[in-house]
Each structure stands twice: as structure tokens, then as C-alpha cells.
């Protein structure tokens, strides 16, 4: 049962930030296991059970959902050890483009969770805009309910020029963006070390379920 993260989590990332190398990881492996690996495993199983009741298309085994301790050496040769960790439940599709999924990310600086579109491209955003415009009444209701919950914030760079000035202001907030994500982000507050963190994550995911199904259908 997930009970939050702990002091070992902080001690491990302090050590890695001081010197990012395999030896420091090996010297602090027990801190990694106690503070990162074991709590992440517990959080994974809690979220797996949750998504089993939301959409089984999101379910994947632990290896695909949880970050490893090591960075990809091809791209991060100077920082071989990850200075962050995550869980991601993404739709199981052949293409990695416009991969819709829920996430929890954390580091020494804080944590965030929500709904994201990974590896987005212009084609994916065009599909979302077309879907919203073709289903304005439904899309507005979904977005209004999401906004009223106020547990996640719509994010994503907007175009400098307004392309949909005549549309409803609620729809404009989505139509005028180059990409979209729904995110809550904060520093390492006391809730990070408690089971309440899971409760807050699940409430936020609940508030974005209809958005998820809307985006899934659009993409």
C-alpha cells in the first residue's frame, strides 16, 4: 500500500545531485530502493487498479510505466543517473506520436501529475481542433466540468495570433494552443510524504477522465 515518499527519497537525490555518477548510485542503492523504487512500485499497483476501472487500454506492465534509475547513455553521457522519477500510463498504440496518457513526475525540486500528450505533432493538434469544432456542445460541457473542478490546469503554448476569435471563449482556450496538457505542479509539500498524495492524484485524474476520453476519440 502506497504511503507516500520518505526521507530516503530526499537523501538519495541530494547525493546524486552532488555528484551524478554510477559509483554514487551504487553507494546509495539502498536509499534508492527505500526512497524511490519501493514507493514507486506501490504507487504503480494503486494506479494500475485505478486505471483498470477507467480504460484498460492504459494498462501496461511495470517496466513500461516506471522510470529506471539510469538515463539513456546515448543522450546523457554527463549525467548517467536520472535526477527525477516518474510513472506514466499511456495508451498502447504502435505509433509513439500523440501518445495520450496520465503521469506522475517528481524530483528534488517538486512533483507534478496530470494528463499529457507525449510526442505531439501538428497533425495531432489539428485532429483535436477539428473534433472540438465538430462537437462544440459536447466539448464545451467537458471543458466546463474540467475547469470547474480546478484540480488540474490547462497548459500549452498559445499562438501569438488568434485563429478562432469568433468561437466561444471556453473553446478558444483549447483551440488556440500549439499543444495541450492538464497539469498540477508544486514543491515538495508535506503531502508528498503521505498517502494523501495518492488521494489527490486520483481526484485530479477523475476530474480529467472525460477530457481523456474526448482526446482519445479525437486522436
Amino acid at each position: 500500500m502506497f504511503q507516500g515518499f520518505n526521507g530516503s527519497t530526499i537523501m538519495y537525490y541530494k547525493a546524486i545531485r552532488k555528484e551524478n555518477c554510477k559509483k554514487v548510485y551504487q553507494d546509495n542503492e539502498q536509499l534508492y530502493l527505500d526512497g524511490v523504487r519501493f514507493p514507486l512500485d506501490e504507487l504503480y499497483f494503486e494506479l494500475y487498479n485505478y486505471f483498470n476501472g477507467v480504460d484498460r487500454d492504459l494498462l501496461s506492465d511495470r517496466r513500461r510505466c516506471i522510470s529506471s534509475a539510469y538515463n539513456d547513455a546515448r543522450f546523457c553521457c554527463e549525467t548517467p543517473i536520472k535526477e527525477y522519477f516518474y510513472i506514466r500510463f499511456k495508451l498502447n498504440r504502435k505509433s509513439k506520436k500523440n501518445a495520450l496518457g496520465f503521469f506522475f513526475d517528481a524530483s528534488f525540486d517538486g512533483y507534478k501529475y496530470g494528463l499529457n500528450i507525449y510526442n505531439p505533432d501538428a497533425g495531432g493538434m489539428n485532429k483535436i481542433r477539428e473534433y472540438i469544432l465538430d462537437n462544440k456542445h459536447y466539448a464545451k460541457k467537458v471543458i466546463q466540468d474540467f475547469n470547474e473542478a480546478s484540480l488540474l490546469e490547462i497548459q500549452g503554448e498559445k499562438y501569438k495570433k488568434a485563429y478562432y476569435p469568433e468561437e466561444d471563449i471556453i473553446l478558444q482556450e483549447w483551440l488556440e494552443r500549439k499543444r495541450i496538457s492538464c497539469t498540477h505542479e508544486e514543491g515538495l509539500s508535506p503531502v508528498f510524504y503521505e498517502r494523501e498524495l495518492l488521494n489527490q492524484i486520483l481526484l485530479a485524474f477523475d476530474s480529467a477522465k472525460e477530457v481523456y476520453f474526448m482526446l482519445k476519440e479525437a486522436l
Side-chain angles (χ1 to χ4, degrees):
M1 180 181 292
F2 178 73
Q3 297 294 342
F5 295 94
N6 54 63
S8 295
T9 317
I10 303 305
M11 292 171 65
Y12 170 74
Y13 282 109
K14 279 185 176 180
I16 294 300
R17 280 208 168 179
K18 186 175 181 180
E19 185 179 1
N20 190 314
C21 65
K22 292 182 179 180
K23 184 179 186 307
V24 172
Y25 166 76
Q26 293 166 351
D27 291 344
N28 292 276
E29 187 173 10
Q30 192 59 51
L31 288 177
Y32 172 77
L33 293 174
D34 293 340
V36 181
R37 173 69 180 274
F38 295 154
L40 270 186
D41 280 350
E42 292 169 343
L43 182 57
Y44 163 78
F45 287 115
E46 300 262 19
L47 292 177
Y48 187 98
N49 289 334
Y50 170 79
F51 287 119
N52 188 47
V54 175
D55 185 358
R56 294 182 61 84
D57 288 344
L58 287 164
L59 300 182
S60 294
D61 61 32
R62 181 199 171 283
R63 182 181 59 83
R64 293 185 62 183
C65 292
I66 298 181
S67 58
S68 66
Y70 289 95
N71 279 318
D72 190 325
R74 295 172 298 174
F75 309 109
C76 306
C77 57
E78 295 183 0
T79 54
I81 309 302
K82 281 189 175 72
E83 296 184 5
Y84 63 95
F85 58 90
Y86 63 78
I87 293 180
R88 294 171 185 166
F89 281 83
K90 297 191 292 186
L91 282 176
N92 293 311
R93 290 180 173 170
K94 292 182 179 180
S95 174
K96 293 184 179 181
K97 289 289 186 181
N98 303 302
L100 184 63
F102 290 87
F103 71 91
F104 170 81
D105 293 3
S107 72
F108 188 66
D109 299 315
Y111 62 92
K112 58 184 178 179
Y113 51 80
L115 176 65
N116 192 31
I117 302 173
Y118 294 91
N119 303 311
D121 61 15
M125 283 306 303
N126 284 337
K127 288 181 179 180
I128 292 171
R129 278 188 284 268
E130 289 172 4
Y131 183 91
I132 290 174
L133 292 172
D134 289 342
N135 302 272
K136 293 181 184 180
H137 181 74
Y138 167 68
K140 182 178 178 179
K141 178 65 166 60
V142 169
I143 295 171
Q144 278 181 317
D145 290 345
F146 169 80
N147 292 344
E148 289 173 6
S150 297
L151 296 177
L152 297 172
E153 178 185 355
I154 181 68
Q155 296 182 355
E157 182 184 358
K158 287 186 175 182
Y159 290 105
K160 293 180 180 179
K161 176 184 176 182
Y163 289 96
Y164 302 90
E166 303 302 321
E167 297 297 337
D168 187 289
I169 187 66
I170 292 174
L171 299 182
Q172 281 184 43
E173 278 296 304
W174 291 59
L175 294 170
E176 301 287 4
R177 294 182 187 272
K178 296 180 180 180
R179 63 170 297 171
I180 288 173
S181 66
C182 306
T183 305
H184 173 80
E185 186 170 2
E186 63 178 279
L188 296 183
S189 61
V191 74
F192 183 71
Y193 307 99
E194 302 171 355
R195 182 170 175 79
E196 178 60 22
L197 175 61
L198 172 64
N199 296 331
Q200 291 187 8
I201 291 171
L202 295 183
L203 284 173
F205 287 176
D206 277 343
S207 76
K209 278 196 297 187
E210 290 306 313
V211 171
Y212 162 76
F213 285 115
M214 180 178 73
L215 295 178
K216 181 184 179 183
E217 187 171 352
L219 293 168

